[in-house]
Amino acid sequence: MSFAGTYCVIMDPECSKLLPALCAVLADPRQPVADDTCLEKLLDWFKTVTEAGSSVLLLQENPCLVELLFQVLKPQDLSSGVLSFSLRLAGILAAQENCFQYLQQGELLRGLFGESGPLGRAAWTAPTVRSGWIQGLRSLAQHPSALHFLVGCGALGTIFSLQGDPSLFVASAAGQLLAHVLALCMRGQAEEHPGPQASDWPTCAQQIVDHVEESLRSADSPQVTQALNVLSTTFGHCHSPWTQALWVRLSPLVACLLEKDPVPAAHSLVDLLLSAARSPVLSADCGLWETLAQTLSHLSCTQAGPLALGVLKLQACPQTLRAQAFGVLLQPLACVLEAAAQAPGLPGLPAGTTGDSVVVDTLLSSKSACVGLLCQTLAHVELLQPMPQRPSPWPQAPLLGAAVAVLRFCNGSAAPTSDVGGRLCVILVGCVRVQRAALDFLGTLAQGLGPQELVTQVLAVLLEYLKSPDSSPTVLKKAFQAALRWLRSSPKPSGCCDMDPHSQQFLRELLPVLQKRLCSPCWEVRDSGLEFLTQLTRRWGGQAGFRHTLLASEVPELAEQLLRDPESYVRASAVNAMGQLSSQGLRATSASPEYPGGQQKSLLLDLLHILSADSEGFPRRAVMQVFTEWLRDGHAEVAEDPEQFVARVLQVASQDLDWEVRAQGLELALVFLAQTLGQPASYCPCTMAPPEVAPPGRLAQALQALCRVRLFEFAFRALFDCDRPVAQKSCDLLLFLRARAAPCGNPQDAGSSPNVASAEAALQRWRAGQQGQPQEDLEPEAVMAVLRSVDLEGLRGALAESSDHVEKSPRSLLQDMLATVGTLVENEADCY
Amino acid sequence: MKLYCLSGHPTLPCNVLKFKSTTIMLDCGLDMTSTLNFLPLPLVQSPRLSNLPGWSLKDGNVFLDKTELIDLSTVDVILISNYHCMMALPYVTEHTGFTGTVYATEPTVQIGRLLMEELVNFIERVPKAQSASLWKNKDIQRLLPSPLKDAVDVSTWRRCYTMQEVNSALSKIQLVGYSQKIELFGAVQVTPLSSGYALGSSNWIIQSHYEKVSYVSGSSLLTTHPQPMDQASLKNSDVLVLTGLTQIPTANPDGMVGEFCSNLALTVRNGGNVLVPCYPSGVIYDLLECLYQYIDSAGLSSIPFYFISPVANSSLEFSQIFAEWLCHNKQTKVYLPEPPFPHAELIQTNKLKHYPSIHGDFSNDFRQPCVVFTGHPSLRFGDVVHFMELWGKSSLNTVIFTEPDFSYLEALAPYQPLAMKCIYCPIDTRLNFIQVSKLLKEVQPLHVVCPEQYTQPPPAQSHRTDLMIDCQPPPVSYRRAEVLTLPFKRRYEKIEIMPELADSLVPMEIKPGISLATVSAVLHTKDNKHVLQPPPRPAQPTGGKKRKRASDDIPDCKVLKPLLSGSIPVEQFVQTLEKHGFSDIKVEDTTKGHIVLLQEAETLIQIEEDSTHIICDNDEVLRVRLRDLVLRFLQKF
C-alpha cells in the first residue's frame, strides 16, 4: 500500500472526535454547506476508509454517521447536496454485505432508496439528488443481498425511467447502473453457461433484458439509444460466457434496427457493435460479423467511418469484413480522387473501393457535411497508418494522390474536368480546416514512400502552400511540419549521407520562401519558420549540400536578426535556431551592413545579453537550453574557456526570477560537473548503481574548478529555492557530487576549517531565505564538509512529497468544513 | 425602369437609371487602362525613351469610355459612390449641356479632387511638343503594330481635362452625409449608406414609395480604416445593382499585406530600394499603418519612407480630419490626444517624409536604401516614371505593385529589359464572391443586376465556379452599351386624399378587416405628388351663363354600376331556387367552383370564385330572374 494510502486509512482519533460535530452540521438544514467539493472529498475519504477496513466497525465506532443517515429520512429541508451525499455514503457503507445487513436492521436503506425516501419528495427534482440515489445504489450493488433489496424495493422501475432523465449525467449513470446490476445478477450463473432460454435467467436479469428488448423495439430513437448504451457497457465491461447468450438473444433486434431508414441511434449502435466485437467471449461465430458487415453497408458514410475504423483496429476479424471496412473508410477519398482524376479508374485502391454516388451526394450536399466527412476520413486513415494491424497491402500511392488532390482543391490549383470536381472545388477552396487535416495526413504518409512521380507532386503541393500568401499561419505551420517529415523520409543516395537530388532541389526552392516567411508581419509565421529552420539544421547541418545551399541564402542572417524580434516566442525560437546554426558552424559569414568591419559579433555575447536582459521568460529559457547543449557538445566558443563560460552563465541564471531558467542552470551545472569529473553526465541520481568514484588527485582539481565557477553557491542556494523542482534538481546534483567524492576527504580534517563555519552560515542564511552573498569564496574542503553535514536524502524525501500533503489530510478537511460552517454561523449572528 | 450601361469596366462603373420620371447617373468611373498603350511621360529627359525606334507617337492620352447611348444633358443627378468612381466627372458635366446636380460625401469630393489634381498635374507638367490624332482614323489604326491596332474605340479617347474643368465640375457637387434622405423632384428619394471601402465611400438607395433600388458599388466588409458597411439598410430591395467587387478575387488582402511587408523587408535588408506605385489615398493609409507596426520588428527603423505626390501633404492631413467617416476604433482616438492614423507619428519621428515632387527638397533629403510611395500606378506618368528609370537597372531594387487597376506586366512593358525585382501584391479590399453570396443571403433582393464579368468564372480560371455570383434567381447581367429593362414592374403609386374628401367616405366591410368605399374625386398631380381632391360641387339649379360654364368643367360622371362583393353559398342558393319554383336542380363541383344545372330550363349557372355566369338560351326573362336571385347573395356598394 502506498504511503499516502496508509496515511488515510487509519481513522485517527482526532477525526473521530471531529466527526460528530460535522454530522450535526450536515444534518442541520439551517447550516448549509457552502462548498460541494468538500463533500466529494469527504466521500473519497470514506471510500478509502471502507475499502481498508470493516464498515460495520466504522459505524459502531462512529454512531453519528448512522444518526446522520436517519436524519435524512425525516421530512425536512435538507439541502440537495447533503441529501445526495448521504445517499452516496449509505451506498458506500452498504457495499459490504454485513454492513448492508446492519443498516437494513433499521430499515434504513429501504427508507433511503425506497419510495418513502427522497424519491417521493420535492427534493427529487434536483438532479444532484437523483444522481446521488443512482450512485448510492451503484456502490451498494455488490452482493446478492443488495440484489434482493433492489428487486424488493422496486428500484428497477425507477432506474428504467431515469435512463431518460433530462440530466445527461443522471441518464448515463442510470444506464451504467443497469449494466452493472445485470452483470451482478448473472455473476452466480457464470459457471454454468446459461442458454438463451428466458426461464434460466434470474428474475431481475430477466426484467432488465425484457426492458432492453422493449426499448430496442421502440420507435422512439432516444429509447433505442438508451438500450444500446446499456448493452455497450455490458459487453465492454463484462466478458463472462452469459454475454454471448445475451448477444444471441438480442442480435436479431439489433439487426432489425438496420432495416429502418435512417438507422436510429446510429452512433450508439456503432459503439455497441464495436464493444461486442472487442469482447473475447463473442468472437466465436455468433452472427456478429454478419451484423457488422450489414451495418457497414446500411449506415451513412459519416456514421460508418468510425465503425470502419473500429473494425480495422480489431485484433482478430474476418478478412472480408476488414476489406469491406477499409473500402467504406476510403470511399470519400476515392470520390475525391475520382473527381480530381483526368482519366477514369483508380489504380492502386483496394478492389471494390469506388467513389460511391451516395458518398458523392453527401460530399456535395453542403460545405459543413463535406468538410466534416473529409476531416473525419483523413483523421481516421491517419490513425490507422502507423498501426501494425493496418490493412495490407497499404494503398500508399492512392492515399498520397488523394491527399494531394484534397490540398489542390483547397487552394484552388486543381483544374478538375468533372462536374463533381468543379463543385468540390467551390466547396473546398480556402477551407482551412480541411487544409490542416490534409497536411497532417500528408505528413503521416511520409512514413511510407511512394512512387517518385507522386513524391514530386507532394513536394510541389507543399511548396505551393508554403509560398502562398493566403496560407493561414496554422496551415503554414502544418505545411512546414509535413515538409520536414517528407525531407526526413527521402531516400539517401547510396554511398553518401547527403540529401537526394529531389530533396536538394526542393530545399533550393524552399529557402527563398523561408526567407520571406522569416520577414512575415505575422509572428506565428516567423516562429514556425524558425522552428523549421532549427529542425532542418539539426538533421542536415553536417551535410555539404545542405550547408552550401543554406549559406548561399540569407536565412542565417535573418534568423540572427530575429533575436531582436518584438515577440518573445519568436525570440525564443530564434535563440534555438541560432544555437543550432552556430553549433554546426552555419552562421552567416559575410559582413552584414550593421558590422561593416567584417568582424562577426560573438553570438555567445548576444545570447548572454538576452539571458540577462530579456524581459520575457521564453527567450531566457531557450538561451539556457542552447548553452547547455553547447557545453555538452563542446561548441567552439565555449571550448575556449569553459570555466569562464559556466561562471558567467551561472551568475546570470542565479539571479533569474523564472524557476525554469534556474532549473536549466542546474542542468548546465550537472553537465559541467560531469565533464570536470571526467564522467558521463548521463548518471541518474535516482538509480542506485554504485557511482564510479573519481581518483583523488583529479577530484581535488575538479573541486577547485567547481569552486572557481561558483557552482556550489549556485547549487546551495537552489537547494532552498522556493520552487520545488529547482530544489529537487539541486538536491540530485549535490547527491551526485557527494557520491563521486565521498571516499576522499576526511570529515574530521574539514570540520576544523574556519571556512566550514562561514559556509554553514551562508547555508543557514539561504535556508532562512536571505539572498546575501557570502563574502568569501567557498573552499573545496568546506564544501565537502557542508555536503556531508546536510541531510540531502531527507531533504529529497521531503521534496518528493507534494506541497499540499499537509492540507490534504482528512483531519484538515474536517477542520476546514467545520471552520467554514463556524464562520457562516458567526456571520449570521453578526446580522442580528 | 431602364438601366443604360455606359461602362464595361466592372469596378469603374457608369450606369444611368431611368426610374419614374428621373434620370440618375450612377458613378462615372474613368477607365485609364488605355494609357498603357502610350509611352511613359518622363520627368527628366530620358535618352532611352526618346531613342526608341519606330512609332514614337505623342498624343494627348486620356481615354473616356462612353457611348452616345444617352444624351448627357438629360441626366438629372449623378450619384458618386467613391472617389475612384468620379474621375470622369469633368467629361460628363462640362461641355455636355449637363445642368443637374452631383451628390457625393465630403471625403469623396475632397479626395477625388486630390486624385484629379494629381492627374492633371502629372500630365500638365510634362507638356508635349506636338500631338497627333490622325492615327485614330480606323484605316490608319489598322496598320499600327499590335496592341494598338487592336485597341477598341480609340475615337472615344480624350485628352486629359484641365484644372479649370475639374473645379467647374466639382462646383456642381452637393455634399451629403450617410443616411441623409434627398428628395429628387418628389419622385424618388436617394440615400447614401456607408460602404466600408474608402473614406466617405457610399452605396446608394433609390426608392419611391413602393419600389426600392439599391446600388452597391465598391464595398468592403474588412476592418480597415473607413466606417463599416451598412448592410441592413439594403434589405427589401426590388433590384440590387452590384458593381465594384474585388478585381483580384483569388488574393486575400491580409495575405497580400504580409507579402508586401516581407518583400519590402527583404529588399531593404539587402541594401535595395523599394518602389510602390500607388494612388495618393486609400490603401496607402492601411499600408503605412501596417508598416508602422512592422518596421520595428523587422529592424527597418532606420529606413526612410518617402511619399511623393503633388497632393501628398493634403492627403495625409485630410485623412486625419474626417473623423466621423472613420471606423469606430479610429473615431475613438479623436477623443484622445493622438491622431487616428499612425502615419502622423511616422511623420513626427521623421520615418515618413512627403514631398510634392522629386524636384526641390526631396533631392537634398534623398537617402538610400529607402521605400518610395508614388504615382501613377500605370507607370505612364508621375514621379514613378523617374524612379523606374533610376532603379530599374539594379536587381537589388524591387517594385511592388499594390494597386490592382492595371496589369503589372503591361505597365512594365516600356521599361524592359528590367533588372529590378517585380512583386505583384494587389491589395483589393472590395467584396469577394464569398462575401457577396453572404451579403445577398442577408439582404435578399428580388433581382440582382451586375456586369457580365461577374456571372462567369474569370477567363484564366474557368474551373473556379466559386469566383462568380451565385444567387436565385440568377443575376441579370449587362455589358457596355447595353440598355436593360429592369425585371420588375411598377404597380402602385401613393396618392393622398384630402381630409374633407376622406371624411365623406363611407367604407363598407367586405370581409373581416377589409372595408371598401367608392370615391369620386379629381386627381391632382404636381411635382410627382398625387392628391385626390373633392370634385367641384354640381352646378346650382339657378343657372346663369357664368354658372353654366362652371358646370362645364365638371368631368362627365357616368352613372356607375354598383360594385359587387361576397360569395354565393351553393346550398342556400339552391334552396332559394327551389323556393322560387325551380325544380330538378343538380349541382356539380368543378375545380374552380360549382355548376348549378337547371335541367328543366336547360340552364347552367357557373359559380366561380371571381365570376358567375348564367347560360340560358334566349330567355331574357329567366336570365334576369336568375340574376336577381344571384344578386341577393352579394353585397353592393
Side-chain angles (χ1 to χ4, degrees):
Chain A
M1 180 156 287
S2 74
F3 174 76
T6 41
Y7 186 84
C8 287
V9 166
I10 301 158
M11 170 73 95
D12 74 73
E14 292 269 0
C15 291
S16 278
K17 259 186 234 163
L18 291 169
L19 213 48
L22 184 74
C23 287
V25 167
L26 291 178
D28 185 351
R30 287 168 307 156
Q31 299 192 339
V33 180
D35 184 5
D36 274 0
T37 54
C38 292
L39 294 176
E40 291 293 331
K41 287 181 193 163
L42 209 54
L43 278 172
D44 285 346
W45 175 55
F46 277 120
K47 209 165 177 200
T48 351
V49 172
T50 52
E51 275 167 4
S54 160
S55 302
V56 176
L57 217 58
L58 179 74
L59 291 183
Q60 282 166 348
E61 281 172 10
N62 301 284
C64 59
L65 289 174
V66 181
E67 278 163 32
L68 171 67
L69 296 180
F70 271 111
Q71 283 295 319
V72 176
L73 295 184
K74 294 181 186 162
Q76 54 180 345
D77 294 332
L78 271 186
S79 78
S80 54
V82 173
L83 213 51
S84 169
F85 166 81
S86 309
L87 290 166
R88 290 166 67 188
L89 178 61
I92 290 172
L93 294 168
Q96 293 177 9
E97 197 156 9
N98 60 345
C99 190
F100 174 85
Q101 313 290 7
Y102 179 82
L103 289 172
Q104 258 312 68
Q105 282 165 17
E107 286 289 296
L108 182 59
L109 291 176
R110 187 171 289 274
L112 283 172
F113 294 101
E115 306 231 325
S116 57
L119 186 50
R121 292 190 224 152
W124 190 251
T125 50
T128 149
V129 174
R130 301 198 296 275
S131 163
W133 188 85
I134 291 185
Q135 289 183 48
L137 285 182
R138 172 75 175 76
S139 314
L140 170 155
Q142 304 293 341
H143 38 73
S145 316
L147 215 50
H148 288 126
F149 168 72
L150 275 174
V151 177
C153 73
L156 273 187
T158 313
I159 303 174
F160 290 155
S161 65
L162 284 177
Q163 279 186 288
D165 198 85
S167 157
L168 285 181
F169 293 101
V170 174
S172 134
Q176 285 175 11
L177 177 56
L178 278 184
H180 176 76
V181 172
L182 180 62
L184 183 66
C185 293
M186 299 303 291
R187 201 184 283 165
Q189 324 276 324
E191 310 305 317
E192 298 142 31
H193 198 299
Q197 284 76 30
S199 53
D200 297 353
W201 290 35
T203 331
C204 175
Q206 191 55 50
Q207 258 178 296
I208 294 175
V209 175
D210 286 348
H211 169 72
V212 167
E213 278 183 333
E214 193 184 322
S215 303
L216 284 178
R217 285 199 195 94
S218 160
D220 180 31
S221 180
Q223 217 172 326
V224 177
T225 310
Q226 291 161 14
L228 293 172
N229 287 347
V230 172
L231 292 176
S232 299
T233 315
T234 303
F235 291 114
H237 289 89
C238 182
H239 299 152
S240 306
W242 63 269
T243 51
Q244 176 157 356
L246 181 67
W247 174 254
V248 172
R249 179 167 165 188
L250 293 179
S251 58
L253 286 176
V254 173
C256 281
L257 293 177
L258 294 176
E259 285 157 18
K260 299 183 187 170
D261 188 33
V263 178
H267 189 78
S268 302
L269 181 62
V270 168
D271 284 350
L272 166 64
L273 291 175
L274 286 177
S275 86
R278 283 187 208 112
S279 165
V281 192
L282 298 189
S283 54
D285 176 55
C286 53
L288 179 61
W289 305 131
E290 289 78 1
T291 314
L292 276 169
Q294 271 178 19
T295 315
L296 275 175
S297 54
H298 275 81
L299 290 183
S300 76
C301 47
T302 320
Q303 296 163 333
L307 181 62
L309 179 68
V311 167
L312 289 167
K313 277 179 172 175
L314 290 175
Q315 296 292 347
C317 124
Q319 194 53 42
T320 46
L321 182 64
R322 283 173 63 82
Q324 186 193 358
F326 200 38
V328 167
L329 196 61
L330 292 182
Q331 258 174 6
L333 294 182
C335 292
V336 170
L337 262 183
E338 241 175 25
Q342 303 296 333
L346 296 170
L349 274 182
T353 309
T354 48
D356 186 74
S357 66
V358 181
V359 181
V360 170
D361 289 346
T362 311
L363 282 173
L364 298 180
S365 63
S366 74
K367 180 161 179 156
S368 59
C370 180
V371 169
L373 181 57
L374 275 181
C375 287
Q376 174 185 296
T377 306
L378 290 168
H380 283 163
V381 184
E382 191 185 331
L383 273 176
L384 206 56
Q385 206 269 353
M387 289 189 176
Q389 68 266 41
R390 72 175 194 193
S392 176
W394 181 251
Q396 173 81 356
L399 288 179
L400 272 180
V404 170
V406 170
L407 285 170
R408 287 203 189 283
F409 277 126
C410 287
N411 75 356
S413 68
T417 44
S418 67
D419 178 43
V420 177
R423 285 160 68 195
L424 270 180
C425 194
V426 172
I427 291 175
L428 289 178
V429 79
C431 177
V432 174
R433 232 183 103 198
V434 177
Q435 286 178 353
R436 284 198 302 244
L439 284 168
D440 272 342
F441 178 62
L442 193 62
T444 314
L445 288 179
Q447 288 166 8
L449 287 172
Q452 186 54 50
E453 184 197 328
L454 263 173
V455 175
T456 312
Q457 280 186 33
V458 167
L459 294 181
V461 83
L462 283 175
L463 209 56
E464 273 174 38
Y465 270 79
L466 291 169
K467 271 183 187 166
S468 164
D470 288 342
S471 296
S472 79
T474 49
V475 167
L476 212 52
K477 191 181 173 89
K478 302 249 180 227
F480 271 130
Q481 285 168 348
L484 201 65
R485 297 179 83 166
W486 274 97
L487 282 174
R488 273 201 198 122
S489 79
S490 65
K492 290 178 186 67
S494 55
C496 74
C497 54
D498 222 336
M499 283 175 156
D500 72 316
H502 295 285
S503 306
Q504 292 240 23
Q505 179 57 32
F506 178 66
L507 201 65
R508 269 194 293 277
E509 291 179 51
L510 181 64
L511 283 179
V513 177
L514 183 59
Q515 218 161 282
K516 205 167 65 186
R517 294 301 183 190
L518 291 181
C519 295
S520 167
C522 174
W523 72 262
E524 291 94 334
V525 173
R526 300 198 293 274
D527 194 47
S528 33
L530 284 168
E531 279 173 7
F532 177 70
L533 175 65
T534 311
Q535 305 272 14
L536 212 56
T537 313
R538 182 164 291 148
R539 176 73 174 73
W540 287 283
Q543 294 166 7
F546 174 79
R547 298 178 67 88
H548 181 75
T549 320
L550 186 70
L551 284 174
S553 75
E554 294 165 41
V555 168
E557 208 181 317
L558 286 169
E560 191 157 352
Q561 285 185 5
L562 291 176
L563 289 175
R564 288 178 291 283
D565 198 274
E567 184 59 50
S568 65
Y569 296 115
V570 179
R571 290 200 298 279
S573 298
V575 166
N576 283 329
M578 283 317 294
Q580 194 56 240
L581 286 172
S582 170
S583 299
Q584 311 263 17
L586 279 168
R587 280 182 73 198
T589 44
S590 62
S592 66
E594 285 173 62
Y595 308 103
Q599 181 67 46
Q600 203 176 31
K601 196 182 163 194
S602 159
L603 181 63
L604 177 63
L605 292 179
D606 265 352
L607 296 191
L608 267 176
H609 179 73
I610 291 177
L611 184 63
S612 54
D614 203 299
S615 58
E616 298 283 338
F618 301 107
R620 304 202 304 269
R621 291 178 201 170
V623 169
M624 286 307 292
Q625 272 161 9
V626 165
F627 280 166
T628 312
E629 219 165 286
W630 281 8
L631 184 64
R632 190 178 289 138
D633 302 344
H635 184 274
E637 242 181 304
V638 175
E640 276 174 25
D641 189 350
E643 275 189 31
Q644 199 202 354
F645 167 75
V646 173
R648 285 174 74 180
V649 175
L650 291 186
Q651 193 199 351
V652 182
S654 67
Q655 313 282 332
D656 207 293
L657 294 176
D658 184 10
W659 71 264
E660 288 197 40
V661 172
R662 299 195 299 276
Q664 189 64 41
L666 286 160
E667 194 67 36
L668 181 124
L670 186 64
V671 171
F672 182 70
L673 190 64
Q675 283 178 350
T676 320
L677 292 172
Q679 279 170 3
S682 57
Y683 163 75
C684 170
C686 315
T687 60
M688 284 303 145
E692 194 182 319
V693 178
R698 181 155 187 187
L699 182 71
Q701 276 180 5
L703 287 176
Q704 288 286 355
L706 297 178
C707 286
R708 279 197 298 275
V709 303
R710 291 181 172 267
L711 184 141
F712 292 112
E713 282 166 38
F714 181 71
F716 281 136
R717 185 182 298 191
L719 202 54
F720 305 111
D721 199 289
C722 50
D723 286 296
R724 207 154 52 96
V726 179
Q728 268 177 319
K729 237 186 170 113
S730 170
C731 200
D732 290 344
L733 176 109
L734 292 173
L735 276 166
F736 170 70
L737 176 65
R738 200 178 66 183
R740 290 294 157 56
C744 85
N746 192 332
Q748 285 78 30
D749 294 351
S752 57
S753 164
N755 278 323
V756 176
S758 79
E760 284 195 326
L763 210 56
Q764 289 303 328
R765 283 203 301 277
W766 286 320
R767 191 196 292 272
Q770 296 165 6
Q771 292 297 309
Q773 291 273 348
Q775 295 303 306
E776 298 160 59
D777 286 348
L778 293 174
E779 295 281 327
E781 300 78 26
V783 170
M784 289 316 295
V786 170
L787 215 51
R788 277 187 292 268
S789 69
V790 178
D791 175 18
L792 287 174
E793 282 86 358
L795 196 57
R796 192 170 69 178
L799 288 169
E801 276 186 33
S802 69
S803 53
D804 63 344
H805 70 275
V806 178
E807 285 73 20
K808 262 168 94 178
S809 74
R811 193 175 69 197
S812 154
L813 173 66
L814 297 180
Q815 280 167 342
D816 281 355
M817 288 181 76
L818 284 171
T820 46
V821 171
T823 55
L824 284 175
V825 175
E826 267 169 38
N827 288 344
E828 208 172 34
D830 282 346
C831 293
Y832 292 100
Chain B
M1 187 181 291
K2 284 192 169 167
L3 190 71
Y4 296 74
C5 310
L6 305 188
S7 163
H9 196 302
T11 29
L12 295 167
C14 183
N15 297 315
V16 173
L17 179 72
K18 289 213 175 187
F19 180 29
K20 288 182 86 174
S21 50
T22 55
T23 305
I24 302 171
M25 179 178 273
L26 305 169
D27 281 331
C28 45
L30 186 61
D31 183 356
M32 289 202 250
T33 47
S34 48
T35 46
L36 294 174
N37 292 305
F38 294 82
L39 279 179
L41 300 177
L43 277 177
V44 179
Q45 183 63 33
S46 158
R48 191 181 68 83
L49 289 178
S50 50
N51 289 338
L52 283 179
W55 301 90
S56 66
L57 289 163
K58 295 280 170 78
D59 193 6
N61 52 0
V62 184
F63 28 138
L64 177 63
D65 204 359
K66 285 284 171 303
T67 64
E68 296 306 315
L69 213 56
I70 194 163
D71 178 3
L72 293 180
S73 68
T74 63
V75 172
D76 296 317
V77 293
I78 304 178
L79 307 180
I80 304 292
S81 50
N82 62 65
Y83 44 77
H84 287 299
C85 291
M86 63 181 280
M87 295 298 281
L89 198 60
Y91 294 118
V92 180
T93 60
E94 308 309 302
H95 320 301
T96 58
F98 173 80
T99 54
T101 314
V102 184
Y103 291 101
T105 62
E106 189 183 358
T108 302
V109 177
Q110 297 300 353
I111 297 172
R113 177 196 296 277
L114 294 181
L115 292 183
M116 291 181 181
E117 215 176 293
E118 190 194 62
L119 181 65
V120 172
N121 188 308
F122 281 159
I123 304 285
E124 285 184 353
R125 76 185 175 186
V126 195
K128 280 166 296 267
Q130 50 190 326
S131 75
S133 55
L134 267 179
W135 64 274
K136 291 184 185 172
N137 183 311
K138 284 235 160 72
D139 294 331
I140 301 179
Q141 194 201 350
R142 236 187 15 229
L143 304 173
L144 296 179
S146 188
L148 256 191
K149 87 177 165 191
D150 306 318
V152 286
D153 291 324
V154 285
S155 56
T156 64
W157 296 4
R158 298 276 184 279
R159 266 176 175 282
C160 183
Y161 38 68
T162 65
M163 213 48 221
Q164 265 175 332
E165 289 167 323
V166 170
N167 287 331
S168 167
L170 295 182
S171 70
K172 299 185 170 76
I173 298 184
Q174 192 167 323
L175 298 183
V176 291
Y178 288 149
S179 304
Q180 185 183 332
K181 296 183 164 67
I182 304 136
E183 287 279 332
L184 299 184
F185 319 113
V188 294
Q189 201 180 51
V190 295
T191 311
L193 303 172
S194 174
S195 77
Y197 167 55
L199 276 178
S201 69
S202 0
N203 292 322
W204 291 86
I205 290 178
I206 304 144
Q207 60 188 340
S208 64
H209 291 297
Y210 294 100
E211 297 89 14
K212 178 170 173 180
V213 177
S214 295
Y215 175 57
V216 172
S217 164
S219 300
S220 175
L221 291 169
L222 298 182
T223 315
T224 55
H225 58 272
Q227 242 190 57
M229 178 180 177
D230 178 354
Q231 296 182 65
S233 309
L234 298 173
K235 282 185 184 170
N236 306 321
S237 303
D238 297 293
V239 172
L240 186 134
V241 182
L242 186 59
T243 65
L245 304 185
T246 176
Q247 301 190 64
I248 318 288
T250 50
N252 143 33
D254 283 339
M256 284 301 156
V257 169
E259 283 289 289
F260 173 81
C261 289
S262 311
N263 283 300
L264 185 145
L266 273 178
T267 306
V268 173
R269 275 197 178 129
N270 284 329
N273 301 294
V274 176
L275 178 62
V276 187
C278 61
Y279 293 115
S281 178
V283 172
I284 187 173
Y285 302 140
D286 297 312
L287 284 181
L288 288 174
E289 183 155 359
C290 280
L291 287 172
Y292 167 79
Q293 292 159 356
Y294 176 68
I295 49 178
D296 287 330
S297 74
L300 301 177
S301 323
S302 58
I303 303 297
F305 289 74
Y306 300 117
F307 176 20
I308 304 170
S309 161
V311 297
N313 187 32
S314 322
S315 165
L316 292 175
E317 286 183 357
F318 269 138
S319 63
Q320 306 283 19
I321 60 167
F322 289 125
E324 59 170 304
W325 306 91
L326 293 173
C327 61
H328 178 74
N329 202 358
K330 293 211 181 312
Q331 269 187 28
T332 50
K333 284 198 176 171
V334 176
Y335 305 105
L336 304 172
E338 55 180 295
F341 284 96
H343 56 235
E345 197 185 319
L346 288 175
I347 295 170
Q348 270 168 15
T349 52
N350 260 335
K351 286 175 183 160
L352 172 66
K353 296 180 182 177
H354 55 87
Y355 304 89
S357 89
I358 52 168
H359 301 298
D361 286 348
F362 174 70
S363 34
N364 302 329
D365 298 349
F366 183 49
R367 204 154 47 80
Q368 301 188 77
C370 64
V371 180
V372 170
F373 295 87
T374 189
H376 184 272
S378 67
L379 304 191
R380 290 303 177 270
F381 42 84
D383 302 273
V384 74
V385 176
H386 175 71
F387 286 101
M388 284 304 295
E389 294 283 324
L390 184 71
W391 288 343
K393 291 174 234 36
S394 166
S395 62
L396 282 180
N397 303 324
T398 306
V399 53
I400 309 183
F401 293 87
T402 56
E403 300 289 351
D405 287 353
F406 299 92
S407 145
Y408 79 105
L409 290 174
E410 281 184 53
L412 287 170
Y415 300 95
Q416 298 296 357
L418 199 64
M420 92 194 282
K421 285 197 283 283
C422 304
I423 307 287
Y424 185 54
C425 298
I427 298 170
D428 196 332
T429 57
R430 284 171 282 205
L431 296 177
N432 63 31
F433 289 97
I434 297 172
Q435 292 163 334
V436 164
S437 87
K438 275 192 194 148
L439 175 76
L440 292 181
K441 269 192 197 126
E442 178 87 17
V443 170
Q444 299 210 316
L446 288 184
H447 300 282
V448 175
V449 175
C450 68
E452 65 172 347
Q453 289 94 330
Y454 296 159
T455 58
Q456 58 219 17
Q461 290 156 301
S462 53
H463 66 284
R464 293 291 299 268
T465 48
D466 55 319
L467 303 182
M468 55 187 270
I469 294 179
D470 181 23
C471 65
Q472 280 309 321
V476 180
S477 71
Y478 67 79
R479 61 171 73 183
R480 184 167 171 265
E482 208 169 40
V483 181
L484 287 187
T485 305
L486 292 184
F488 85 104
K489 292 244 181 314
R490 292 186 48 226
R491 305 173 87 173
Y492 300 104
E493 187 58 275
K494 189 175 177 180
I495 298 177
E496 280 181 21
I497 301 180
M498 298 288 283
E500 56 264 42
L501 180 62
D503 269 350
S504 69
L505 298 183
V506 186
M508 236 173 76
E509 193 162 41
I510 297 300
K511 47 180 158 176
I514 296 182
S515 300
L516 292 180
T518 51
V519 59
S520 304
V522 173
L523 180 67
H524 186 264
T525 296
K526 188 182 173 188
D527 285 350
N528 294 307
K529 293 236 186 302
H530 312 286
V531 181
L532 282 184
Q533 294 176 341
R537 285 166 198 283
Q540 297 292 318
T542 50
K545 230 180 185 177
K546 209 175 177 181
R547 288 181 199 273
K548 198 178 176 193
R549 196 187 293 161
S551 69
D552 285 346
D553 286 345
I554 302 169
D556 287 340
C557 296
K558 279 187 200 154
V559 179
L560 288 171
K561 280 186 187 168
L563 297 173
L564 300 174
S565 70
S567 60
I568 303 164
V570 179
E571 280 179 27
Q572 288 176 33
F573 179 58
V574 171
Q575 283 168 14
T576 313
L577 287 175
E578 283 168 347
K579 242 184 243 171
H580 286 78
F582 296 99
S583 56
D584 206 6
I585 301 168
K586 216 174 149 190
V587 180
E588 283 174 22
D589 288 351
T590 67
T591 49
K592 290 177 181 171
H594 308 276
I595 293 176
V596 178
L597 195 62
L598 307 179
Q599 290 179 333
E600 243 170 64
E602 290 182 15
T603 297
L604 278 178
I605 305 170
Q606 258 177 10
I607 303 172
E608 290 176 1
E609 195 186 5
D610 51 0
S611 65
T612 303
H613 293 277
I614 299 166
I615 304 166
C616 59
D617 278 343
N618 293 325
D619 189 347
E620 183 61 10
V621 181
L622 177 65
R623 190 191 72 81
V624 171
R625 235 179 107 202
L626 289 171
R627 182 200 70 188
D628 290 342
L629 288 176
V630 167
L631 285 178
R632 284 189 188 187
F633 289 94
L634 298 175
Q635 288 170 295
K636 292 181 224 52
F637 64 98

